[in-house]
Amino acid sequence: MGTGFRPYRGCWDIRRFTTASAATFRQFAPVSFSSVGLLQECAGGAANQKLVGIALHNSTDSFPSGEVLVAIPGFGATALSKIQTGVATSATSLGLAYDIEKSGNNLRIDTDSTTSAMCIIAGAVNSADSTVEVAFTDNALVLPLLQRFGAF
């Protein structure tokens, strides 16, 4: 099972989106749209990508083929994210905002990057499993754009 960003609290809408046949993102990976409107793993705010939501299964496990269920964060939605080891407690204070980074084949918050913040610390670190509750910034989400154009 992927350990990226697991939907945790608040309102989440589940939608089905088409993905490229060569896509290899894992369950709980943040996903964005490619230039041709297909789902892809989100490379983060530094890549100027907008987050669609969280993939609910591996892209290679899609059924029907080429379609992936995505949890789209709504009002008050938070997710649990892994956090790298050795992070100072002060770096996980409520309200601090960070980008995301790839670690192995999973994504997590990047406590070393604040310039293109996509998520905000919304809860305390669980030291037992190295997770922290985060909320996504409105600036990072594609949903407000979709609502404006009537796609949602």
Side-chain angles (χ1 to χ4, degrees):
M1 170 170 48
T3 58
F5 289 79
R6 290 174 285 165
Y8 185 55
R9 290 195 252 203
C11 298
W12 290 84
D13 191 23
I14 309 298
R15 297 286 174 114
R16 185 184 319 246
F17 291 99
T18 304
T19 186
S21 60
T24 59
F25 53 82
R26 296 194 56 193
Q27 181 181 30
F28 301 132
V31 289
S32 62
F33 287 128
S34 70
S35 60
V36 293
L38 299 174
L39 275 188
Q40 64 184 7
E41 185 173 74
C42 186
N48 203 26
Q49 292 184 345
K50 297 286 188 185
L51 183 78
V52 174
I54 307 298
L56 293 179
H57 55 87
N58 296 341
S59 60
T60 55
D61 296 337
S62 60
F63 183 80
S65 182
E67 293 189 0
V68 174
L69 291 176
V70 175
I72 300 166
F75 182 75
T78 64
L80 292 178
S81 170
K82 284 288 190 183
I83 191 163
Q84 62 200 44
T85 57
V87 173
T89 305
S90 61
T92 59
S93 298
L94 289 176
L96 292 179
Y98 297 108
D99 198 2
I100 60 176
E101 69 179 345
K102 190 160 185 164
S103 173
N105 200 23
N106 293 299
L107 290 140
R108 64 182 183 197
I109 65 168
D110 181 2
T111 56
D112 299 321
S113 175
T114 59
T115 55
S116 302
M118 294 189 82
C119 53
I120 300 168
I121 304 290
V125 172
N126 180 342
S127 57
D129 64 0
S130 298
T131 59
V132 65
E133 186 176 1
V134 299
F136 296 102
T137 65
D138 282 346
N139 216 22
L141 297 171
V142 76
L143 181 60
L145 296 172
L146 291 175
Q147 288 175 328
R148 269 187 232 128
F149 293 109
F152 249 61

